[in-house]
Amino acid sequence: KFLQDSAARGAALARAMSHDPHALPNRERALFTAVVDAYETKKYAEGVAAADAILKKFPEHGETLAMKGLIVRSMDEGHERHDEAHALCARGIECHPGSHVCWHVLGLVHRAERNHAESAKCYAQALKIDPENSLVMKDLSLVYAQTRNVKAFVALRWKILSRKRDQRMSYVALACGLHLMGEHENAYEVLDSYEKIRRGANIDHRGAWRDEDPLMKRFDASELALFKAKLKRAAGKEKDALALLERGEETIVDKVAYLTFKGEVQVALGMNAAAEETYWKLLERLPDSYDYHEALRVVKGLPEKVHDGAKEISDDDIAKLKSLYEEIGSKLQYCAAAKRLPLSFTKAGEEFKKLIVTYVEKPLRKGVPSLFEDLRNLYENSAKATLLEDIFTDTVRSLKESGKFLSGGATKSEDEKKECVMYAVNLLAMHYDEMGRRSSDGGAKEFAKAIECIDEAIASNDSCVELYLNKATILEHAGDLQGAANAAETSRKLDLADRYLNSNCVRHMLRAGRYAYAEQLAAMFARDGDQATNLFDMEATWFELEAAKCHIRGKKYGRALKYYHAVLTHFDQFIEDEFDFHGYCLRRTSISAYLDLLRAEDRMFARPEFREAARGAITLYVNLFDEPPAKKVADLEAKIAAMSSDDAAKFREHMRVEREREEAAEKARLEALEEQKKIAAAQESKNKSPKDTPQKVDPDPVGEALENTNQPLEQAMKFVEPLLKHAADYEETQLLAFEVFIRQGKPILALKTVNEALKIAPSSFRAKRNIVRLARSVEKMDESNAMKKILTMQVGKLMGDKTASEFAASMSFEEASHPVDIAAVAFAKREVGDDSALVEGAKATKMGAEFSLDDYLNALDTYADASEAAAEALTKTCAQAFPYATCFGGAKCTAREN
């Protein structure tokens, strides 16, 4: 009977294949299986060969064509065969439009190209053809998770769960999706039903629960218990959450996470006494966690923030805080925070002085490099800053005279005395540096004292790396970029094998404009000496940002854009790397880490590194739009044409000499890099066999194509779009978007950015300047344009029904204090015809303790491209306030070395 049934089924299958024009004979079907296996094992050459063997006999077999396209796309690292891959997939669908395999494969191709929208469409079409295909459903759900289409993700996960009730991942994925949708109770019910099914053994057939790892059973149970409690709290049921936590205490293995969440729930329920006990347990585990110190203070009714610069603390609270930290110090022997935090909440006076002299003794004896960084926050209190100067000065004097600290401790030998004096003088130097940065007049006197002290410390021990690092920092804060680079170079030479010292020196060299030497230094620690490829592969955004700014100062805009686009590529890759974790984390039940990952990725483009790159790139592209390279060349030729023949000849000769000098410098740079590569490759070959993989050749190594693009605003939008999507709550994002939209002729979008900027910063002078610019742009619109009337009304509301001239006149230099804000006022006035406004704004710029050297540099950059007279006026003012500053030509700045 069984044999008869088998024979019948075989005959039916043979008949079906004979009627299916897309069916393959057994030999070719085996080859097709080999194609799929080759793709999955990344044996692409074998896969292409097997596909070609099938297509030789069946040239219109759609699934084979599609699979070949997928393999070609997987082989195409340089994107050189992109069109071929898509053509094969399209031909496959044309030959077999009813095949879910063809549509699924095309979806995979789009997925490899990060085109998730098209990928989702293809997967959805594949599901229409084969609604029960679990593999397609899984791939589509991952795309929905990546694109944060949570509603579609949940709907699909319900469908998967109804078909795969014997897989834990189905329950976990659905619960996470419901949680992200805000349906926390439903998410809890899903997990609860999973646990009931597992306890009751309702589904226990062979092959069930194959995705559960017996070795991870305890961890999985812990994650589920903690997640269920979080779901209850998210649903507003703190009591239920606390009950779940207490029942699952033995189950949850991450005790720090357990206690942290328990403390938060207890605080939310007003159970301060119980919460206090919880936070004491946390401090026993992590005694120096300031978060737990803050939480403990809150549950005891004390101020949450005690650092200098926070809200004023009453005498009564200070007494209670003192008692608390005496208790913490006695209970937790190794709690450094118990010694440091009293320095913050104790008022300036004799008691503070006793605490500080005791606190600094041990770090000075041991030469702790981070001592000053630890104390930096105290400078938010001016009274404490004054006391610190007296204390540090007296400490240096006491150590020099008697070898004793102010606390009474004595050095044990002459060598120890000499070392303690050195570190005390170094501390005093860092103090003067901080006071210089906070000075209202530029800090020239304070920086001079800082340099004098650090030189004294170096004279006592010229082989101490930390001293040269601190000297570089002091000189950089004073604006002496060349001197800082020299100090960093000295520190590097003290330990040539130290990567940090090398990187620090590279950063200072880039800031000093010594790009060629910085490249050589970076190559020393690069694989095979190829710093460009190696640093890109390492995603060293700090180097790329510094190099870009260096090239902007050198007017090499193509190279700067090259580095900014490298940063964009890195961040795109960070987002793309998330894709693999959707399936992995849900399969491994790493729920807490997965949800943290989603939150981090959603704010990825709001990180300072990307915003800095976007600011630089957008500004460059906007400038290239306003003044394209071709226009610069034409203007230069026109300028030469207006000269006399002798002057023109001299000018062209000067240009030729400069060009030859630059070419010689570039040739020397490349030769030095090649030499460095040879040295690094020779060194590496001692430990490793040489690599056979050929290095990729960059077709545009200096960014010439980027600089000469015909669509600079379209290139700028590559940076604007992620900013608007992920960092719209920053004023700078709206200001940058305005610069692009106003040039694209999109006044509605420009108006929207102005409104958003004013919501974020209602008194923003830069946003007000943009109102004037928008008003002038609307005035120039054709009367027949239907938008003009609406825009005139909306912009008029922003200006208080004033004209652009009246609104600009109402902005005064006295209202603005920040150097960049004063520049914004000046440019707003110039927008309505006040040509003297820029020089007046530059002269009105004031020195202030709250403004840094970089603030004045940003203001100078704003004026530089618009008015030489304004730039000169501001430079003259700043050169007096910052005599060490290289950019302002200060009298005391270090000359650049060749």
Side-chain angles (χ1 to χ4, degrees):
K1 184 77 167 65
F2 176 77
L3 291 174
Q4 289 174 353
D5 290 344
S6 297
R9 283 196 296 271
L13 181 61
R15 285 195 301 275
M17 290 181 64
S18 65
H19 293 294
D20 183 1
H22 302 289
L24 291 172
N26 289 340
R27 183 174 179 277
E28 279 69 26
R29 181 163 292 278
L31 281 173
F32 185 79
T33 303
V35 172
V36 176
D37 290 342
Y39 166 72
E40 292 177 348
T41 57
K42 298 185 178 181
K43 297 178 180 178
Y44 300 132
E46 295 179 12
V48 170
D52 287 339
I54 298 172
L55 294 173
K56 190 173 182 180
K57 288 187 177 181
F58 303 93
E60 295 188 353
H61 188 256
E63 293 179 358
T64 303
L65 286 165
M67 279 303 303
K68 183 180 178 181
L70 178 60
I71 293 175
V72 167
R73 175 62 190 81
S74 301
M75 296 169 67
D76 184 25
E77 294 184 4
H79 304 287
E80 296 172 357
R81 302 176 68 182
H82 170 273
D83 294 340
E84 180 186 353
H86 277 272
L88 285 166
C89 291
R91 178 61 180 157
I93 290 175
E94 183 182 343
C95 293
H96 195 174
S99 168
H100 74 275
V101 173
C102 292
W103 287 104
H104 189 189
V105 166
L106 182 58
L108 291 173
V109 170
H110 284 302
R111 152 75 191 91
E113 295 170 352
R114 306 177 185 179
N115 190 346
H116 298 298
E118 290 300 319
S119 178
K121 291 178 184 177
C122 294
Y123 291 152
Q125 182 63 29
L127 274 183
K128 285 182 181 179
I129 298 168
D130 186 4
E132 301 300 317
N133 193 305
S134 59
L135 185 59
V136 178
M137 283 192 279
K138 172 193 161 190
D139 285 345
L140 181 56
S141 71
L142 295 180
V143 171
Y144 285 149
Q146 179 73 9
T147 56
R148 302 295 190 273
N149 189 346
V150 183
K151 187 175 181 180
F153 175 81
V154 168
L156 190 55
R157 293 311 310 192
W158 272 118
K159 187 176 179 182
I160 293 173
L161 179 60
S162 66
R163 290 159 175 75
K164 294 282 185 181
R165 297 185 61 220
D166 59 349
Q167 290 186 4
R168 182 189 58 207
M169 180 181 172
S170 300
Y171 296 87
V172 173
L174 178 57
C176 286
L178 290 168
H179 172 56
L180 294 173
M181 277 185 69
E183 298 182 14
H184 311 296
E185 284 289 358
N186 288 338
Y188 178 87
E189 291 300 327
V190 168
L191 293 180
D192 198 45
S193 64
Y194 161 74
E195 291 182 338
K196 287 177 181 178
I197 290 171
R198 293 300 286 128
R199 285 196 300 269
N202 298 332
I203 302 176
D204 202 20
H205 57 79
R206 184 179 179 182
W209 315 110
R210 286 183 298 178
D211 61 338
E212 293 184 353
D213 186 349
L215 297 176
M216 299 293 289
K217 187 175 182 179
R218 192 178 173 201
F219 171 79
D220 296 341
S222 170
E223 284 287 300
L224 289 174
L226 193 58
F227 185 42
K228 287 175 69 178
K230 289 181 178 180
L231 289 172
K232 282 295 183 184
R233 191 190 177 198
K237 298 183 178 180
E238 279 84 3
K239 288 185 179 179
D240 291 346
L242 184 59
L244 281 170
L245 281 173
E246 290 173 346
R247 285 203 305 270
E249 182 175 2
E250 296 300 321
T251 304
I252 299 171
V253 296
D254 187 347
K255 295 304 178 186
V256 172
Y258 165 76
L259 289 170
T260 301
F261 187 56
K262 184 178 180 181
E264 291 172 357
V265 175
Q266 288 169 335
V267 170
L269 291 170
M271 302 168 60
N272 287 351
E276 181 180 344
E277 182 181 345
T278 300
Y279 285 117
W280 271 108
K281 291 179 181 178
L282 282 165
L283 285 175
E284 288 172 2
R285 290 173 174 268
L286 298 168
D288 289 319
S289 170
Y290 276 33
D291 289 338
Y292 299 142
H293 280 275
E294 288 180 5
L296 180 61
R297 291 196 296 269
V298 169
V299 298
K300 291 180 75 66
L302 296 171
E304 180 182 4
K305 304 293 183 183
V306 298
H307 60 269
D308 288 281
K311 189 178 178 181
E312 187 72 22
I313 304 173
S314 67
D315 292 340
D316 184 46
D317 282 341
I318 289 175
K320 291 178 181 177
L321 285 167
K322 181 180 178 182
S323 175
L324 171 63
Y325 279 93
E326 286 175 353
E327 182 183 0
I328 292 175
S330 62
K331 287 184 177 180
L332 306 175
Q333 183 180 359
Y334 298 105
C335 180
K339 299 181 180 68
R340 171 60 184 84
L341 289 173
L343 299 178
S344 291
F345 60 73
T346 302
K347 291 185 176 180
E350 286 301 315
E351 185 179 1
F352 172 78
K353 185 174 180 179
K354 290 178 182 178
L355 289 173
I356 198 72
V357 297
T358 303
Y359 187 81
V360 301
E361 180 181 341
K362 186 176 179 180
L364 287 176
R365 285 182 183 275
K366 292 181 173 292
V368 176
S370 60
L371 173 59
F372 183 78
E373 197 61 38
D374 184 27
L375 301 175
R376 188 185 295 277
N377 175 252
L378 299 176
Y379 288 81
E380 296 294 333
N381 186 319
S382 58
K384 289 183 179 179
T386 303
L387 262 180
L388 287 172
E389 182 169 333
D390 295 337
I391 292 167
F392 296 159
T393 303
D394 290 344
T395 299
V396 171
R397 177 182 48 75
S398 178
L399 283 170
K400 286 181 177 179
E401 291 177 356
S402 61
K404 291 184 178 180
F405 289 91
L406 297 182
S407 57
T411 54
K412 298 176 182 178
S413 65
E414 190 63 29
D415 287 342
E416 185 184 4
K417 173 186 172 182
K418 181 181 177 182
E419 190 170 291
C420 288
V421 168
M422 179 187 74
Y423 285 117
V425 172
N426 173 64
L427 181 62
L428 183 59
M430 299 307 293
H431 160 81
Y432 283 125
D433 172 53
E434 185 67 20
M435 296 301 287
R437 295 179 70 191
R438 294 172 180 271
S439 174
S440 60
D441 61 358
K445 294 179 181 178
E446 289 79 4
F447 284 126
K449 291 179 181 178
I451 294 169
E452 181 182 349
C453 286
I454 200 66
D455 284 341
E456 179 185 341
I458 290 172
S460 66
N461 185 354
D462 60 1
S463 62
C464 181
V465 170
E466 287 79 10
L467 298 180
Y468 289 102
L469 289 175
N470 288 342
K471 182 174 182 179
T473 300
I474 293 168
L475 290 170
E476 182 181 14
H477 290 163
D480 188 354
L481 301 180
Q482 301 299 331
N486 294 340
E489 171 70 352
T490 305
S491 71
R492 183 190 71 83
K493 289 179 178 178
L494 290 174
D495 188 353
L496 295 174
D498 191 301
R499 183 187 288 267
Y500 169 75
L501 294 178
N502 182 273
S503 298
N504 181 66
C505 187
V506 168
R507 181 176 67 86
H508 280 292
M509 290 296 169
L510 289 171
R511 292 186 175 183
R514 305 186 205 173
Y515 181 74
Y517 188 56
E519 267 194 336
Q520 294 175 37
L521 294 180
M524 291 180 179
F525 283 86
R527 185 173 58 245
D528 292 337
D530 186 2
Q531 62 84 23
T533 303
N534 191 221
L535 290 174
F536 178 82
D537 292 341
M538 292 170 63
E539 297 172 340
T541 54
W542 70 267
F543 174 81
E544 288 156 347
L545 292 173
E546 292 291 349
K549 288 186 287 187
C550 176
H551 285 310
I552 289 175
R553 291 190 291 271
K555 301 189 181 302
K556 298 182 184 298
Y557 303 128
R559 287 189 176 183
L561 288 170
K562 188 78 174 177
Y563 281 116
Y564 285 139
H565 276 274
V567 175
L568 176 62
T569 300
H570 297 330
F571 276 80
D572 284 338
Q573 188 60 49
F574 296 158
I575 296 297
E576 191 60 27
D577 288 344
E578 174 195 359
F579 192 93
D580 294 333
F581 287 92
H582 295 303
Y584 176 81
C585 290
L586 296 174
R587 188 172 67 252
R588 304 299 296 181
T589 327
S590 303
I591 303 172
S592 298
Y594 176 62
L595 295 175
D596 288 342
L597 170 70
L598 295 185
R599 284 188 283 270
E601 292 283 348
D602 287 342
R603 295 291 295 173
M604 184 61 67
F605 284 103
R607 288 185 62 86
E609 297 89 347
F610 179 76
R611 288 190 288 114
E612 182 180 345
R615 183 196 317 124
I618 293 168
T619 302
L620 282 177
Y621 278 124
V622 164
N623 291 340
L624 288 173
F625 176 82
D626 294 341
E627 194 173 4
K631 182 177 181 296
K632 289 182 180 180
V633 173
D635 290 346
L636 182 62
E637 289 298 327
K639 179 181 176 181
I640 295 173
M643 298 178 182
S644 65
S645 57
D646 290 342
D647 290 342
K650 290 178 182 178
F651 189 77
R652 289 189 185 278
E653 177 64 18
H654 173 72
M655 289 175 58
R656 185 188 65 78
V657 171
E658 283 294 310
R659 185 168 59 253
E660 289 179 355
R661 185 184 62 79
E662 290 181 5
E663 289 174 355
E666 180 67 9
K667 183 180 178 182
R669 181 184 74 86
L670 294 174
E671 288 175 353
L673 276 179
E674 285 300 319
E675 186 63 28
Q676 195 64 50
K677 284 182 183 182
K678 291 177 183 178
I679 295 171
Q683 183 66 30
E684 189 165 344
S685 65
K686 294 179 181 179
N687 305 317
K688 299 178 182 178
S689 57
K691 295 184 296 183
D692 295 329
T693 307
Q695 291 186 353
K696 297 178 184 178
V697 178
D698 189 342
D700 186 26
V702 296
E704 187 176 350
L706 293 171
E707 184 178 2
N708 293 296
T709 177
N710 294 323
Q711 299 178 320
L713 296 183
E714 285 72 8
Q715 290 292 330
M717 284 303 297
K718 293 180 180 179
F719 293 86
V720 171
E721 288 172 354
L723 281 180
L724 288 175
K725 184 176 181 181
H726 300 280
D729 51 345
Y730 288 92
E731 180 195 1
E732 185 181 46
T733 294
Q734 304 301 332
L735 297 175
L736 291 170
F738 177 89
E739 297 295 338
V740 178
F741 291 144
I742 197 70
R743 287 169 173 80
Q744 286 181 328
K746 298 178 179 178
I748 297 292
L749 292 178
L751 175 63
K752 182 180 178 181
T753 63
V754 171
N755 284 322
E756 292 298 322
L758 289 172
K759 285 180 185 177
I760 299 166
S763 59
S764 170
F765 287 94
R766 289 183 289 175
K768 290 177 181 177
R769 176 200 172 190
N770 286 346
I771 294 175
V772 176
R773 294 171 64 191
L774 183 58
R776 297 288 289 170
S777 177
V778 172
E779 289 174 4
K780 297 173 183 177
M781 291 174 65
D782 194 279
E783 292 295 334
S784 62
N785 193 325
M787 290 192 299
K788 182 171 183 177
K789 185 176 180 180
I790 298 172
L791 286 166
T792 301
M793 181 177 64
Q794 294 296 325
V795 175
K797 287 181 180 179
L798 293 175
M799 296 190 297
D801 294 325
K802 297 177 182 177
T803 65
S805 297
E806 292 170 343
F807 184 73
S810 69
M811 298 168 64
S812 68
F813 296 124
E814 289 72 22
E815 291 179 1
S817 57
H818 195 286
V820 175
D821 288 341
I822 293 174
V825 172
F827 275 89
K829 291 179 179 296
R830 192 191 72 156
E831 194 72 33
V832 294
D834 187 351
D835 295 331
S836 63
L838 296 186
V839 175
E840 290 176 12
K843 291 179 178 179
T845 303
K846 302 173 284 290
M847 296 296 115
E850 64 272 30
F851 309 131
S852 67
L853 176 62
D854 287 340
D855 293 330
Y856 293 99
L857 282 174
N858 291 335
L860 179 62
D861 290 340
T862 305
Y863 288 117
D865 294 332
S867 169
E868 288 185 11
E872 287 177 7
L874 182 59
T875 299
K876 185 177 179 180
T877 302
C878 292
Q880 295 174 354
F882 303 103
Y884 293 95
T886 307
C887 52
F888 297 127
K892 297 182 180 180
C893 68
T894 305
R896 175 170 177 173
E897 295 180 4
N898 293 325

